[in-house]
mmCIF file of all heavy atoms in Angstrom:
data_model
loop_
_atom_site.group_PDB
_atom_site.id
_atom_site.type_symbol
_atom_site.label_atom_id
_atom_site.label_comp_id
_atom_site.label_asym_id
_atom_site.label_seq_id
_atom_site.Cartn_x
_atom_site.Cartn_y
_atom_site.Cartn_z
ATOM 1 N N THR A 1 0.827 -1.210 0.000
ATOM 2 C CA THR A 1 0.000 0.000 0.000
ATOM 3 C C THR A 1 0.859 1.257 0.000
ATOM 4 O O THR A 1 0.576 2.214 -0.738
ATOM 5 C CB THR A 1 -0.942 0.006 1.210
ATOM 6 O OG1 THR A 1 -1.840 -1.101 1.093
ATOM 7 C CG2 THR A 1 -1.739 1.293 1.293
ATOM 8 N N ILE A 2 1.930 1.271 0.805
ATOM 9 C CA ILE A 2 2.747 2.492 0.823
ATOM 10 C C ILE A 2 3.491 2.684 -0.496
ATOM 11 O O ILE A 2 3.724 3.819 -0.923
ATOM 12 C CB ILE A 2 3.723 2.539 2.018
ATOM 13 C CG1 ILE A 2 4.693 1.379 2.014
ATOM 14 C CG2 ILE A 2 2.983 2.613 3.315
ATOM 15 C CD1 ILE A 2 5.776 1.531 3.080
ATOM 16 N N THR A 3 3.833 1.594 -1.176
ATOM 17 C CA THR A 3 4.451 1.715 -2.501
ATOM 18 C C THR A 3 3.479 2.370 -3.465
ATOM 19 O O THR A 3 3.845 3.281 -4.230
ATOM 20 C CB THR A 3 4.875 0.343 -3.032
ATOM 21 O OG1 THR A 3 5.717 -0.313 -2.080
ATOM 22 C CG2 THR A 3 5.614 0.465 -4.346
ATOM 23 N N THR A 4 2.224 1.925 -3.434
ATOM 24 C CA THR A 4 1.194 2.513 -4.294
ATOM 25 C C THR A 4 1.029 3.992 -4.003
ATOM 26 O O THR A 4 0.945 4.821 -4.924
ATOM 27 C CB THR A 4 -0.136 1.784 -4.083
ATOM 28 O OG1 THR A 4 0.014 0.404 -4.424
ATOM 29 C CG2 THR A 4 -1.244 2.393 -4.929
ATOM 30 N N ARG A 5 1.002 4.358 -2.723
ATOM 31 C CA ARG A 5 0.806 5.764 -2.363
ATOM 32 C C ARG A 5 1.995 6.614 -2.774
ATOM 33 O O ARG A 5 1.837 7.766 -3.189
ATOM 34 C CB ARG A 5 0.535 5.873 -0.863
ATOM 35 C CG ARG A 5 -0.841 5.333 -0.497
ATOM 36 C CD ARG A 5 -1.143 5.361 0.988
ATOM 37 N NE ARG A 5 -2.517 4.910 1.223
ATOM 38 C CZ ARG A 5 -3.051 4.678 2.412
ATOM 39 N NH1 ARG A 5 -2.314 4.858 3.510
ATOM 40 N NH2 ARG A 5 -4.307 4.273 2.529
ATOM 41 N N ILE A 6 3.185 6.051 -2.671
ATOM 42 C CA ILE A 6 4.382 6.774 -3.106
ATOM 43 C C ILE A 6 4.346 7.016 -4.613
ATOM 44 O O ILE A 6 4.616 8.121 -5.099
ATOM 45 C CB ILE A 6 5.640 5.990 -2.685
ATOM 46 C CG1 ILE A 6 5.888 6.173 -1.182
ATOM 47 C CG2 ILE A 6 6.867 6.419 -3.492
ATOM 48 C CD1 ILE A 6 6.897 5.219 -0.600
ATOM 49 N N LYS A 7 3.980 5.990 -5.365
ATOM 50 C CA LYS A 7 3.883 6.159 -6.816
ATOM 51 C C LYS A 7 2.794 7.155 -7.192
ATOM 52 O O LYS A 7 2.985 7.998 -8.078
ATOM 53 C CB LYS A 7 3.624 4.798 -7.464
ATOM 54 C CG LYS A 7 4.802 3.836 -7.405
ATOM 55 C CD LYS A 7 4.454 2.496 -8.040
ATOM 56 C CE LYS A 7 5.648 1.552 -8.053
ATOM 57 N NZ LYS A 7 5.316 0.219 -8.646
ATOM 58 N N ASP A 8 1.637 7.066 -6.509
ATOM 59 C CA ASP A 8 0.537 7.976 -6.809
ATOM 60 C C ASP A 8 0.914 9.428 -6.502
ATOM 61 O O ASP A 8 0.357 10.357 -7.109
ATOM 62 C CB ASP A 8 -0.704 7.592 -5.994
ATOM 63 C CG ASP A 8 -1.348 6.303 -6.472
ATOM 64 O OD1 ASP A 8 -1.006 5.835 -7.576
ATOM 65 O OD2 ASP A 8 -2.194 5.759 -5.736
ATOM 66 N N ALA A 9 1.837 9.634 -5.564
ATOM 67 C CA ALA A 9 2.280 10.979 -5.208
ATOM 68 C C ALA A 9 3.344 11.514 -6.169
ATOM 69 O O ALA A 9 3.827 12.639 -5.981
ATOM 70 C CB ALA A 9 2.827 10.987 -3.778
ATOM 71 N N GLY A 10 3.726 10.725 -7.166
ATOM 72 C CA GLY A 10 4.738 11.165 -8.117
ATOM 73 C C GLY A 10 6.154 11.099 -7.592
ATOM 74 O O GLY A 10 7.080 11.651 -8.191
ATOM 75 N N ILE A 11 6.342 10.426 -6.463
ATOM 76 C CA ILE A 11 7.677 10.259 -5.895
ATOM 77 C C ILE A 11 8.405 9.179 -6.687
ATOM 78 O O ILE A 11 7.831 8.147 -7.042
ATOM 79 C CB ILE A 11 7.582 9.879 -4.403
ATOM 80 C CG1 ILE A 11 6.845 10.982 -3.626
ATOM 81 C CG2 ILE A 11 8.951 9.634 -3.811
ATOM 82 C CD1 ILE A 11 6.467 10.599 -2.209
ATOM 83 N N VAL A 12 9.669 9.409 -6.966
ATOM 84 C CA VAL A 12 10.453 8.546 -7.851
ATOM 85 C C VAL A 12 11.237 7.528 -7.016
ATOM 86 O O VAL A 12 12.123 7.913 -6.241
ATOM 87 C CB VAL A 12 11.414 9.385 -8.709
ATOM 88 C CG1 VAL A 12 12.306 8.489 -9.557
ATOM 89 C CG2 VAL A 12 10.617 10.348 -9.592
ATOM 90 N N ILE A 13 10.924 6.263 -7.163
ATOM 91 C CA ILE A 13 11.608 5.209 -6.408
ATOM 92 C C ILE A 13 12.901 4.836 -7.131
ATOM 93 O O ILE A 13 12.882 4.325 -8.254
ATOM 94 C CB ILE A 13 10.713 3.971 -6.232
ATOM 95 C CG1 ILE A 13 9.443 4.347 -5.460
ATOM 96 C CG2 ILE A 13 11.468 2.852 -5.517
ATOM 97 C CD1 ILE A 13 8.414 3.228 -5.364
ATOM 98 N N LEU A 14 14.031 5.108 -6.483
ATOM 99 C CA LEU A 14 15.338 4.839 -7.086
ATOM 100 C C LEU A 14 15.719 3.370 -7.012
ATOM 101 O O LEU A 14 16.442 2.870 -7.884
ATOM 102 C CB LEU A 14 16.414 5.660 -6.373
ATOM 103 C CG LEU A 14 16.304 7.184 -6.490
ATOM 104 C CD1 LEU A 14 17.296 7.845 -5.551
ATOM 105 C CD2 LEU A 14 16.546 7.633 -7.930
ATOM 106 N N GLY A 15 15.300 2.676 -5.962
ATOM 107 C CA GLY A 15 15.678 1.273 -5.803
ATOM 108 C C GLY A 15 15.439 0.823 -4.387
ATOM 109 O O GLY A 15 14.804 1.508 -3.576
ATOM 110 N N LYS A 16 15.987 -0.367 -4.054
ATOM 111 C CA LYS A 16 15.752 -1.022 -2.773
ATOM 112 C C LYS A 16 17.030 -1.006 -1.939
ATOM 113 O O LYS A 16 18.123 -1.277 -2.441
ATOM 114 C CB LYS A 16 15.297 -2.474 -3.005
ATOM 115 C CG LYS A 16 14.122 -2.628 -3.968
ATOM 116 C CD LYS A 16 12.875 -1.915 -3.494
ATOM 117 C CE LYS A 16 12.235 -2.593 -2.304
ATOM 118 N NZ LYS A 16 11.725 -3.936 -2.612
ATOM 119 N N THR A 17 16.872 -0.723 -0.645
ATOM 120 C CA THR A 17 18.037 -0.541 0.210
ATOM 121 C C THR A 17 18.306 -1.737 1.113
ATOM 122 O O THR A 17 17.415 -2.496 1.483
ATOM 123 C CB THR A 17 17.886 0.717 1.083
ATOM 124 O OG1 THR A 17 16.667 0.618 1.844
ATOM 125 C CG2 THR A 17 17.854 1.961 0.221
ATOM 126 N N ASN A 18 19.571 -1.844 1.498
ATOM 127 C CA ASN A 18 20.041 -2.951 2.333
ATOM 128 C C ASN A 18 19.464 -2.854 3.740
ATOM 129 O O ASN A 18 19.083 -1.777 4.207
ATOM 130 C CB ASN A 18 21.578 -2.921 2.392
ATOM 131 C CG ASN A 18 22.159 -4.214 2.904
ATOM 132 O OD1 ASN A 18 21.567 -5.279 2.778
ATOM 133 N ND2 ASN A 18 23.339 -4.143 3.495
ATOM 134 N N MET A 19 19.437 -3.985 4.449
ATOM 135 C CA MET A 19 18.831 -4.045 5.769
ATOM 136 C C MET A 19 19.290 -5.299 6.494
ATOM 137 O O MET A 19 19.762 -6.255 5.878
ATOM 138 C CB MET A 19 17.304 -4.080 5.640
ATOM 139 C CG MET A 19 16.782 -5.242 4.789
ATOM 140 S SD MET A 19 14.988 -5.299 4.639
ATOM 141 C CE MET A 19 14.542 -5.901 6.274
ATOM 142 N N ASP A 20 19.156 -5.292 7.828
ATOM 143 C CA ASP A 20 19.325 -6.526 8.577
ATOM 144 C C ASP A 20 18.252 -7.516 8.142
ATOM 145 O O ASP A 20 17.091 -7.144 7.927
ATOM 146 C CB ASP A 20 19.177 -6.260 10.080
ATOM 147 C CG ASP A 20 20.395 -5.588 10.680
ATOM 148 O OD1 ASP A 20 21.490 -6.155 10.564
ATOM 149 O OD2 ASP A 20 20.245 -4.497 11.272
ATOM 150 N N GLU A 21 18.628 -8.773 8.018
ATOM 151 C CA GLU A 21 17.719 -9.806 7.523
ATOM 152 C C GLU A 21 16.414 -9.821 8.315
ATOM 153 O O GLU A 21 16.407 -9.911 9.534
ATOM 154 C CB GLU A 21 18.405 -11.166 7.616
ATOM 155 C CG GLU A 21 17.581 -12.295 7.019
ATOM 156 C CD GLU A 21 18.305 -13.635 7.106
ATOM 157 O OE1 GLU A 21 19.385 -13.699 7.721
ATOM 158 O OE2 GLU A 21 17.775 -14.618 6.562
ATOM 159 N N PHE A 22 15.305 -9.694 7.574
ATOM 160 C CA PHE A 22 13.968 -9.641 8.160
ATOM 161 C C PHE A 22 13.861 -8.587 9.258
ATOM 162 O O PHE A 22 13.081 -8.729 10.200
ATOM 163 C CB PHE A 22 13.524 -11.016 8.665
ATOM 164 C CG PHE A 22 13.167 -11.959 7.554
ATOM 165 C CD1 PHE A 22 14.044 -12.973 7.186
ATOM 166 C CD2 PHE A 22 11.981 -11.818 6.859
ATOM 167 C CE1 PHE A 22 13.723 -13.833 6.139
ATOM 168 C CE2 PHE A 22 11.655 -12.673 5.806
ATOM 169 C CZ PHE A 22 12.529 -13.684 5.442
ATOM 170 N N ALA A 23 14.654 -7.527 9.136
ATOM 171 C CA ALA A 23 14.628 -6.382 10.061
ATOM 172 C C ALA A 23 15.099 -6.747 11.463
ATOM 173 O O ALA A 23 14.755 -6.072 12.427
ATOM 174 C CB ALA A 23 13.224 -5.752 10.115
ATOM 175 N N MET A 24 15.919 -7.779 11.576
ATOM 176 C CA MET A 24 16.388 -8.236 12.881
ATOM 177 C C MET A 24 17.833 -7.809 13.088
ATOM 178 O O MET A 24 18.769 -8.505 12.698
ATOM 179 C CB MET A 24 16.252 -9.759 12.988
ATOM 180 C CG MET A 24 14.817 -10.247 12.857
ATOM 181 S SD MET A 24 14.704 -12.036 13.025
ATOM 182 C CE MET A 24 13.006 -12.307 12.499
ATOM 183 N N GLY A 25 18.014 -6.632 13.708
ATOM 184 C CA GLY A 25 19.360 -6.165 13.979
ATOM 185 C C GLY A 25 19.410 -4.668 14.176
ATOM 186 O O GLY A 25 18.449 -3.946 13.867
ATOM 187 N N SER A 26 20.542 -4.192 14.669
ATOM 188 C CA SER A 26 20.735 -2.772 14.948
ATOM 189 C C SER A 26 21.944 -2.201 14.223
ATOM 190 O O SER A 26 22.412 -1.114 14.571
ATOM 191 C CB SER A 26 20.916 -2.562 16.464
ATOM 192 O OG SER A 26 19.805 -3.037 17.174
ATOM 193 N N SER A 27 22.458 -2.922 13.227
ATOM 194 C CA SER A 27 23.688 -2.458 12.581
ATOM 195 C C SER A 27 23.735 -2.708 11.075
ATOM 196 O O SER A 27 24.668 -2.282 10.410
ATOM 197 C CB SER A 27 24.898 -3.161 13.213
ATOM 198 O OG SER A 27 24.853 -4.551 12.955
ATOM 199 N N THR A 28 22.753 -3.413 10.525
ATOM 200 C CA THR A 28 22.704 -3.836 9.122
ATOM 201 C C THR A 28 23.822 -4.818 8.785
ATOM 202 O O THR A 28 24.051 -5.144 7.626
ATOM 203 C CB THR A 28 22.684 -2.628 8.163
ATOM 204 O OG1 THR A 28 21.677 -1.700 8.637
ATOM 205 C CG2 THR A 28 22.290 -2.987 6.750
ATOM 206 N N GLU A 29 24.510 -5.323 9.803
ATOM 207 C CA GLU A 29 25.522 -6.353 9.569
ATOM 208 C C GLU A 29 24.905 -7.730 9.397
ATOM 209 O O GLU A 29 25.597 -8.674 9.012
ATOM 210 C CB GLU A 29 26.515 -6.376 10.732
ATOM 211 C CG GLU A 29 27.377 -5.136 10.820
ATOM 212 C CD GLU A 29 28.189 -5.094 12.100
ATOM 213 O OE1 GLU A 29 27.593 -4.885 13.183
ATOM 214 O OE2 GLU A 29 29.416 -5.285 12.014
ATOM 215 N N ASN A 30 23.621 -7.878 9.683
ATOM 216 C CA ASN A 30 22.949 -9.163 9.520
ATOM 217 C C ASN A 30 22.355 -9.348 8.134
ATOM 218 O O ASN A 30 21.647 -10.327 7.895
ATOM 219 C CB ASN A 30 21.836 -9.323 10.569
ATOM 220 C CG ASN A 30 22.388 -9.445 11.975
ATOM 221 O OD1 ASN A 30 23.442 -10.029 12.192
ATOM 222 N ND2 ASN A 30 21.683 -8.866 12.941
ATOM 223 N N SER A 31 22.608 -8.428 7.224
ATOM 224 C CA SER A 31 22.185 -8.627 5.838
ATOM 225 C C SER A 31 22.875 -9.845 5.252
ATOM 226 O O SER A 31 24.058 -10.094 5.504
ATOM 227 C CB SER A 31 22.541 -7.403 4.999
ATOM 228 O OG SER A 31 22.352 -7.662 3.625
ATOM 229 N N ALA A 32 22.143 -10.588 4.439
ATOM 230 C CA ALA A 32 22.729 -11.748 3.771
ATOM 231 C C ALA A 32 23.562 -11.355 2.557
ATOM 232 O O ALA A 32 24.203 -12.229 1.951
ATOM 233 C CB ALA A 32 21.623 -12.709 3.342
ATOM 234 N N TYR A 33 23.591 -10.069 2.198
ATOM 235 C CA TYR A 33 24.163 -9.675 0.921
ATOM 236 C C TYR A 33 25.420 -8.807 1.013
ATOM 237 O O TYR A 33 26.375 -9.029 0.275
ATOM 238 C CB TYR A 33 23.098 -8.945 0.087
ATOM 239 C CG TYR A 33 21.932 -9.833 -0.247
ATOM 240 C CD1 TYR A 33 20.757 -9.759 0.487
ATOM 241 C CD2 TYR A 33 22.017 -10.789 -1.259
ATOM 242 C CE1 TYR A 33 19.681 -10.596 0.198
ATOM 243 C CE2 TYR A 33 20.959 -11.630 -1.553
ATOM 244 C CZ TYR A 33 19.795 -11.533 -0.813
ATOM 245 O OH TYR A 33 18.741 -12.370 -1.083
ATOM 246 N N GLN A 34 25.430 -7.795 1.869
ATOM 247 C CA GLN A 34 26.569 -6.882 1.848
ATOM 248 C C GLN A 34 26.585 -6.054 3.119
ATOM 249 O O GLN A 34 25.607 -6.001 3.867
ATOM 250 C CB GLN A 34 26.485 -5.939 0.637
ATOM 251 C CG GLN A 34 25.274 -5.004 0.677
ATOM 252 C CD GLN A 34 25.063 -4.266 -0.627
ATOM 253 O OE1 GLN A 34 25.247 -4.820 -1.711
ATOM 254 N NE2 GLN A 34 24.661 -3.004 -0.535
ATOM 255 N N LEU A 35 27.706 -5.401 3.347
ATOM 256 C CA LEU A 35 27.823 -4.436 4.436
ATOM 257 C C LEU A 35 27.364 -3.069 3.950
ATOM 258 O O LEU A 35 27.596 -2.693 2.794
ATOM 259 C CB LEU A 35 29.274 -4.320 4.911
ATOM 260 C CG LEU A 35 29.817 -5.380 5.861
ATOM 261 C CD1 LEU A 35 31.295 -5.088 6.142
ATOM 262 C CD2 LEU A 35 29.018 -5.426 7.159
ATOM 263 N N THR A 36 26.743 -2.321 4.831
ATOM 264 C CA THR A 36 26.471 -0.916 4.579
ATOM 265 C C THR A 36 27.295 -0.105 5.576
ATOM 266 O O THR A 36 27.394 -0.470 6.754
ATOM 267 C CB THR A 36 24.977 -0.603 4.750
ATOM 268 O OG1 THR A 36 24.229 -1.367 3.798
ATOM 269 C CG2 THR A 36 24.701 0.882 4.524
ATOM 270 N N ARG A 37 27.879 0.985 5.106
ATOM 271 C CA ARG A 37 28.778 1.784 5.937
ATOM 272 C C ARG A 37 28.165 3.148 6.251
ATOM 273 O O ARG A 37 27.397 3.696 5.461
ATOM 274 C CB ARG A 37 30.131 1.960 5.231
ATOM 275 C CG ARG A 37 30.824 0.632 4.946
ATOM 276 C CD ARG A 37 32.118 0.806 4.175
ATOM 277 N NE ARG A 37 32.705 -0.500 3.864
ATOM 278 C CZ ARG A 37 33.491 -1.170 4.686
ATOM 279 N NH1 ARG A 37 33.813 -0.649 5.863
ATOM 280 N NH2 ARG A 37 33.985 -2.349 4.337
ATOM 281 N N ASN A 38 28.521 3.679 7.393
ATOM 282 C CA ASN A 38 28.042 4.984 7.819
ATOM 283 C C ASN A 38 28.797 6.070 7.048
ATOM 284 O O ASN A 38 30.034 6.134 7.109
ATOM 285 C CB ASN A 38 28.283 5.152 9.322
ATOM 286 C CG ASN A 38 27.588 6.363 9.902
ATOM 287 O OD1 ASN A 38 27.486 7.407 9.273
ATOM 288 N ND2 ASN A 38 27.102 6.220 11.131
ATOM 289 N N PRO A 39 28.106 6.935 6.313
ATOM 290 C CA PRO A 39 28.810 7.959 5.533
ATOM 291 C C PRO A 39 29.644 8.921 6.376
ATOM 292 O O PRO A 39 30.557 9.563 5.843
ATOM 293 C CB PRO A 39 27.670 8.693 4.823
ATOM 294 C CG PRO A 39 26.576 7.686 4.732
ATOM 295 C CD PRO A 39 26.666 6.904 6.015
ATOM 296 N N TRP A 40 29.366 9.051 7.674
ATOM 297 C CA TRP A 40 30.183 9.903 8.541
ATOM 298 C C TRP A 40 31.551 9.294 8.818
ATOM 299 O O TRP A 40 32.524 10.012 9.038
ATOM 300 C CB TRP A 40 29.466 10.149 9.871
ATOM 301 C CG TRP A 40 28.302 11.066 9.765
ATOM 302 C CD1 TRP A 40 27.029 10.733 9.381
ATOM 303 C CD2 TRP A 40 28.284 12.468 10.017
ATOM 304 N NE1 TRP A 40 26.227 11.842 9.384
ATOM 305 C CE2 TRP A 40 26.966 12.919 9.779
ATOM 306 C CE3 TRP A 40 29.255 13.383 10.438
ATOM 307 C CZ2 TRP A 40 26.600 14.263 9.937
ATOM 308 C CZ3 TRP A 40 28.890 14.709 10.599
ATOM 309 C CH2 TRP A 40 27.587 15.137 10.343
#
């Protein structure tokens, strides 16, 4: 539903972002695919 609302609002979806697997974690190190780094 939120994807539909974002598209209906004319917001441009660039792509999908990395995350801890099934949202279980506090560091994104639990992703099965790659590390994400803090830009700071």
